[in-house]
Amino acid sequence: MANRLYALPGSHPSRTGALMLEHKGVPYKRVDLIPAAHRVILRALRFPGHTVPAVTIDGRRLQGTREISRALDEIKPDPPLFPKDADRRRAVEEAERWGDEVLQPVPRRLSWWCIKRDNSSVKEFLVDAKLGLPTSIAVVTTPPIARISGRLNRSTDENVKADLAALPGMLDRVDRLIADGVLNGEQLNAADFQIATSLALLRCFEDLRPWIDSRPAAELVQRVVPDYPGRIPAVLPDAWLEAGRSAAPAA
Ligand SMILES: N[C@@H](CCC(=O)N[C@@H](CS)C(=O)NCC(=O)O)C(=O)O
């Protein structure tokens, strides 16, 4: 049976899953699920959790970017997603963990907050979606989905404000990982694929693109995921953006 990648339209970790499959040269068919209905479908497909990416490969079910990266290295060792050297592997694993647990939720929370207030460009996230229904119908369902997803992801004013205040420090950390050779080295690794998609989604925010484009982090996005679709109009309050605007990029 063909390998399948179950995704949600515009989902950055889904793109991480796709990039890792492509890095390995593993053929797959992408299936985009309809948000909210995705939970029922993933359960029906016997995945244990409710998030994407979820992959079926060689009769195995893999769910979550970190499970997928490790399993892909087992299934097809070359090209590797983790370095052989133990110290370098630890550094990549730690960067991948941080990218998954700390950085990845930030663009997710910010997206739902912004889309709830202005969904005029949501269709741009759906350009290459494989939903099996017309984009116009998907767009119409956006307001209730944005409300539910905003609640599920705790996209509150307080959390979004805190994310924006913390973001410059997170971008500094990405730049340090690049300077240390953990990210954007000769061989791309699991942490590159994990972190680049979060940065790519952050670049979709008109308010935030300049924060990234002045940094080495932008080179990682250009290399790994230059074609991330979508645009989020400038709706974030000026006062919340102040912290980031005044933060100097890492040397
Ligand atoms: N951090 C995990 C989970 C990813 C995740 O939360 N994906 C979101 C889409 S961006 C999702 O599936 N949300 C649906 C839900 O929580 O039910 C990973 O890297 O695989």
Side-chain angles (χ1 to χ4, degrees):
M1 205 162 77
N3 305 318
R4 284 201 158 61
L5 167 71
Y6 296 95
L8 283 169
S11 152
H12 49 312
S14 297
R15 189 65 187 270
T16 297
L19 288 167
M20 294 194 294
L21 287 161
E22 286 154 23
H23 178 71
K24 290 286 186 183
V26 172
Y28 69 95
K29 187 171 177 312
R30 174 174 153 172
V31 181
D32 279 306
L33 306 176
I34 297 167
H38 74 279
R39 291 191 173 202
V40 179
I41 294 164
L42 289 173
R43 203 173 318 125
L45 291 165
R46 290 187 287 125
F47 283 102
H50 55 77
T51 57
V52 294
V55 169
T56 50
I57 179 169
D58 295 349
R60 288 172 71 171
R61 281 178 183 70
L62 309 172
Q63 193 166 29
T65 45
R66 284 195 278 166
E67 181 174 324
I68 294 168
S69 58
R70 278 154 192 76
L72 283 177
D73 258 9
E74 260 171 58
I75 294 165
K76 194 165 185 286
D78 277 315
L81 281 162
F82 293 94
K84 284 203 170 53
D85 174 81
D87 288 341
R88 292 189 54 227
R89 180 176 178 116
R90 253 193 305 279
V92 169
E93 283 179 339
E94 172 51 21
E96 187 198 31
R97 184 206 60 76
W98 174 80
D100 180 2
E101 293 178 1
V102 181
L103 180 64
Q104 189 195 96
V106 171
R108 184 181 298 118
R109 270 192 296 268
L110 297 182
S111 310
W112 288 123
W113 193 94
C114 291
I115 289 170
K116 210 171 125 186
R117 280 146 188 91
D118 182 342
N119 67 18
S120 59
S121 57
V122 140
K123 57 183 174 306
E124 294 179 26
F125 284 100
L126 298 167
V127 281
D128 64 349
K130 313 268 182 285
L131 275 168
L133 60 102
T135 307
S136 53
I137 295 182
V139 169
V140 169
T141 60
T142 299
I145 288 172
R147 266 197 307 279
I148 296 166
S149 301
R151 212 173 310 127
L152 289 175
N153 289 291
R154 298 191 185 86
S155 293
T156 60
D157 288 5
E158 200 183 9
N159 288 343
V160 166
K161 211 162 141 183
D163 283 340
L164 290 170
L167 190 54
M170 294 186 196
L171 297 175
D172 285 347
R173 182 165 178 159
V174 172
D175 287 346
R176 273 198 306 277
L177 287 166
I178 292 172
D180 293 346
V182 178
L183 295 178
N184 210 15
E186 205 173 306
Q187 294 265 347
L188 290 175
N189 61 50
D192 287 307
F193 294 120
Q194 175 68 244
I195 288 171
T197 58
S198 288
L199 298 172
L201 179 51
L202 285 168
R203 282 187 80 253
C204 292
F205 291 76
E206 281 177 9
D207 283 318
L208 301 179
R209 181 173 283 223
W211 292 19
I212 295 157
D213 280 356
S214 54
R215 293 168 172 271
E219 289 162 31
L220 179 66
V221 184
Q222 269 310 315
R223 177 174 172 195
V224 179
V225 56
D227 55 347
Y228 200 92
R231 186 178 56 83
I232 298 179
V235 289
L236 288 162
D238 253 356
W240 299 2
L241 290 163
E242 232 17 83
R245 285 215 189 89
S246 52

